[in-house]
Amino acid sequence: MKKKIFSGVQPTGNLHLGNYLGAIKNFVKLNDDPENHCVFCVVDLHAITVNQDPKELRENIRETVATFVASGIDPKKSIIFNQSKVSAHSEVAWILSCTARMGWLNRMTQFKEKAGKDKEKASIGLYSYPILMAADILLYDTTHVPVGDDQKQHLELCRDIAQKFNNDFKVDNFFKLPEPLIQKEFSRIMSLKDGSKKMSKSELSNLSRINLTDSEDQIINKIKKAKTDTLPIPSNIDELNGRLEAKNLLIIYSSLSGLTLEKTINKFAEKNFSEFKKNLSQILVDKINPISQEIKKLLNEKSYLDKILLEGSKNANQIASKKIEKIHEIVGF
Ligand code: AQP
């Protein structure tokens, strides 16, 4: 049986190294394995849970597709489409919102973080976001979902919703319970300015993240300015405890080089950070620069990007419409 892979990325601009190492790099590996059937979605419905400028959103949708392709996802092997073009996502999200329980959603930490102190002013969409995410995944009988560690809780909720729907309607195994695919050591890349916060698109400081469109000079400058501490690189992992920023930079190096964190530490043990940072900048430039050049090139080929989305949405619609027909039957519509 082929593994069915589904994952999404929000077209909210500033796609960064965290998105790449936590998710997209894994998408590429999965796309390359003929044993997998992959669906990669530009989740524009999720993006509008916070304010978006319509013109920018349209460009960001294209930029996300360009990033997928520039990173190595082949649109001939994988379905790439944007969520809003397959209306089953919104419809199933509504049906599942009648299955999901308030108490379950109230536990979601991402809503608490994103809504901040003033949650009364957050959109309903931001609150019910994980239900839409469950609909995305369940529509495609997904078996595996490659995501960063921050999405683990949403995936657990998706399994709970699927299980309850199957039980309530006595349709054993109708919605498949998906497994998360989270990379162990590199599951959460942190801000370059604060090792306790995840690297994020919406963080105001551009110095907090490496954008996938950054130039060589920007990468070198950001790594130069990345926060560290006064101690040299230790000789074992345990000594990294409590040194959040130092650990984050070593994790980034490990992930890009393919070395384990332990091997990276051995390679740079007792060296000072200025020397390590030169190596880190170099590997970042080597890995990210070809992607950023390709993104820029693809952004000039708008009709090609739109064609990928159009083809993708046709293929996604074919799968989703069959599933929704069965859902209508089960629910009694
Ligand atoms: N810092 C991160 N480390 C590892 N993985 C990450 N992901 C996001 N940030 C990191 C993973 O990237 C995929 C796409 O994420 P998304 O764009 O759909 O949403 P997000 O998690 O909300 O991303 P951001 O950058 O944090 O955006 P804002 O600032 O808008 O909230 C997901 O698989 C995610 O786990």
Side-chain angles (χ1 to χ4, degrees), residues 213-221 281-282 285 289 292-293:
T213 48
D214 279 346
S215 66
E216 184 170 343
D217 287 348
Q218 281 170 314
I219 292 174
I220 293 168
N221 185 39
S281 296
Q282 191 55 53
V285 168
N289 225 18
S292 87
Q293 299 291 340

Side-chain angles (χ1 to χ4, degrees), residues 135-198:
D136 300 339
I137 295 166
L138 298 175
L139 259 176
Y140 298 90
D141 289 336
T142 304
T143 58
H144 295 84
V145 186
V147 277
D149 176 64
D150 57 315
Q151 293 298 329
K152 199 170 163 204
Q153 195 186 30
H154 288 167
L155 214 61
E156 280 159 11
L157 180 81
C158 170
R159 290 169 61 95
D160 289 343
I161 294 173
Q163 185 78 66
K164 181 163 164 50
F165 183 97
N166 292 349
N167 290 344
D168 287 353
F169 291 99
K170 300 189 176 49
V171 281
D172 199 26
N173 207 28
F174 173 69
F175 281 134
K176 308 285 174 287
L177 304 194
E179 297 291 336
L181 286 178
I182 298 176
Q183 319 208 50
K184 265 198 205 134
E185 276 182 329
F186 320 119
S187 59
R188 195 179 284 235
I189 302 299
M190 309 311 277
S191 156
L192 299 179
K193 289 275 145 203
D194 178 350
S196 67
K197 285 190 187 159
K198 84 170 180 151

Side-chain angles (χ1 to χ4, degrees), residues 10 16 18-19 114 148 150 187 189 198-202:
Q10 294 188 72
H16 52 72
N19 297 129
K114 288 199 172 176
D150 57 315
S187 59
I189 302 299
K198 84 170 180 151
M199 188 177 283
S200 150
K201 304 185 196 109
S202 54

Side-chain angles (χ1 to χ4, degrees), residues 36-90:
N36 298 329
H37 178 272
C38 297
V39 180
F40 297 119
C41 187
V42 181
V43 287
D44 48 7
L45 296 172
H46 279 104
I48 62 162
T49 54
V50 295
N51 286 341
Q52 299 294 335
D53 174 87
K55 204 165 156 247
E56 271 176 35
L57 178 61
R58 203 162 288 126
E59 288 312 310
N60 285 336
I61 291 170
R62 290 196 180 103
E63 189 169 318
T64 310
V65 182
T67 305
F68 283 173
V69 176
S71 303
I73 298 175
D74 179 354
K76 291 201 183 77
K77 290 187 192 158
S78 297
I79 296 178
I80 298 175
F81 74 107
N82 56 325
Q83 197 184 20
S84 59
K85 298 297 175 199
V86 179
S87 56
H89 289 250
S90 313

